[in-house]
Amino acid sequence: MNELPPIRGTLTQDRPLADLTWLRVGGPADWLFQPADREDLALFLRNLVPEVPIFVMGVGSNLIVRDGGIRGVVIRLGRGFNGIEIADGLVHAGAAALDMHVAKRAAEAGLDLTFLRTIPGTIGGAVRMNAGCYGSYVADHLVEAEVVTRQGESLVLAVSDLRLAYRSSALPEGWVLTRATFRAESGDPEALSARMEEQLARRDASQPTRERSAGSTFRNPAGFSSTGQADDVHDLKAWKLIEGAGLRGYSLGGAQMSEKHPNFLINTGGATAAELEDLGELVRARVREASGHELAWEVVRVGER
């Protein structure tokens, strides 16, 4: 790392990561790099030894960093990547822009990206995971995404290049999303704002939004998120399978499956990353025994135990 050229961002050695995640657990990164802008990021990656692993994190909203921390470099995008611009019916958002801010800015301009309002995290994570709710997904609106490759090359990818699917994309490991462009239908700003307020109320009524959680813990075996419509079925929703296995409110140390929404893994105050992950694995095993269905993690787990 000492052979790197000068950077304009911040590079910190042995940086604890717990305070950068919503679950507030995890050990340190060998190095945490916060680039000043895309050029700074590209220069850093271009000159980084290829053998050094990197991990890109946003605001840590769907992340368990294991207690042993992360080897290599963690890249966290900040102010140089959170701009939001709206022109000609398109919304251009930096990867570090919060989903909720993008939804609100778009609504003010009369563009409907309201589904983003209740999704925790940043645009970079939303694109990488094809985030969605209420029957809408990033894939329905994304036009293109700007990335910096592991070799430091800047590219623009069409939405088809990303092969977006339920909670997944084909973005290669080590590539960093820096900006995304969305197309949205027009709508009345007041009506769009009212819809987002209704969605927030529904979310707060059904999810433990005041607890330390990382959002939905497991993907729905049904292969799609809740639509919020009257005909939405729950038989193959992760929460229903967890409840059917008798695990609503089940706890292990400081980790607990929420009483309010059993697909939310929460830190009740003193959980370790190991307790959170072990409880998740226990849930997967019990659901497999009770229903025969295999739950896949939606929360990303990284680092060493």
Side-chain angles (χ1 to χ4, degrees), residues 17-18 20-21 23 25-29 53-58 60 62-75 128 173 273-274 277 297-305:
L17 297 175
L20 300 180
T21 73
L23 282 167
V25 296
I54 68 168
F55 176 75
V56 184
M57 71 178 293
N62 73 326
L63 183 66
I64 293 176
V65 175
R66 296 185 177 111
D67 300 305
I70 300 177
R71 305 289 70 80
V73 179
V74 171
I75 296 175
R128 179 179 286 274
E173 198 69 30
E277 187 170 14
W297 283 89
E298 183 168 330
V299 171
V300 177
R301 296 153 297 133
V302 294
E304 299 179 351
R305 284 180 68 98

Side-chain angles (χ1 to χ4, degrees), residues 16-215:
L17 297 175
D19 65 316
L20 300 180
T21 73
W22 285 26
L23 282 167
R24 294 295 190 266
V25 296
D30 286 348
W31 297 89
L32 176 69
F33 178 49
Q34 298 167 282
D37 50 35
R38 189 171 63 177
E39 289 70 29
D40 194 34
L41 171 64
L43 179 65
F44 178 85
L45 290 175
R46 195 175 303 129
N47 290 279
L48 183 64
V49 177
E51 291 73 29
V52 176
I54 68 168
F55 176 75
V56 184
M57 71 178 293
V59 291
S61 59
N62 73 326
L63 183 66
I64 293 176
V65 175
R66 296 185 177 111
D67 300 305
I70 300 177
R71 305 289 70 80
V73 179
V74 171
I75 296 175
R76 191 170 191 261
L77 305 184
R79 292 183 179 179
F81 299 85
N82 66 358
I84 302 171
E85 301 172 7
I86 300 175
D88 301 323
L90 297 176
V91 179
H92 309 276
L98 294 176
D99 299 332
M100 59 179 289
H101 288 167
V102 175
K104 291 168 70 174
R105 285 283 303 278
E108 290 168 0
L111 294 174
D112 186 359
L113 291 177
T114 53
F115 80 99
L116 287 172
R117 180 64 181 87
T118 59
I119 296 176
T122 61
I123 288 297
V127 172
R128 179 179 286 274
M129 294 293 289
N130 189 24
C133 62
Y134 303 124
S136 293
Y137 296 88
V138 164
D140 301 324
H141 303 276
L142 185 66
V143 176
E144 62 184 25
E146 297 176 16
V147 302
V148 176
T149 71
R150 180 63 177 79
Q151 293 72 38
E153 182 183 6
S154 295
L155 300 176
V156 177
L157 303 180
V159 63
S160 58
D161 297 326
L162 291 168
R163 300 200 299 276
L164 299 176
Y166 175 60
R167 299 294 187 266
S168 68
S169 70
L171 190 73
E173 198 69 30
W175 289 27
V176 185
L177 279 155
T178 58
R179 196 167 186 252
T181 297
F182 301 91
R183 180 178 287 110
E185 293 185 3
S186 299
D188 175 66
E190 290 188 7
L192 296 175
S193 179
R195 184 190 303 169
M196 290 190 293
E197 289 302 314
E198 177 191 4
Q199 291 173 349
L200 284 173
R202 288 165 60 188
R203 181 197 65 180
D204 292 345
S206 63
Q207 299 176 8
T209 53
R210 297 185 183 278
E211 305 283 354
R212 290 182 182 176
S213 84

Side-chain angles (χ1 to χ4, degrees), residues 218-272:
F218 302 105
R219 302 175 186 179
N220 292 325
F224 57 87
S225 58
S226 296
T227 65
Q229 303 302 313
D231 61 352
D232 191 12
V233 294
H234 296 274
D235 296 352
L236 288 180
K237 298 297 174 61
W239 76 265
K240 188 69 172 178
L241 295 172
I242 295 168
E243 183 174 65
L247 296 170
R248 181 188 286 268
Y250 193 90
S251 61
L252 177 68
Q256 182 184 40
M257 303 311 295
S258 169
E259 288 275 7
K260 193 170 188 178
H261 192 306
N263 192 29
F264 278 65
L265 181 62
I266 60 175
N267 180 353
T268 62
T272 62

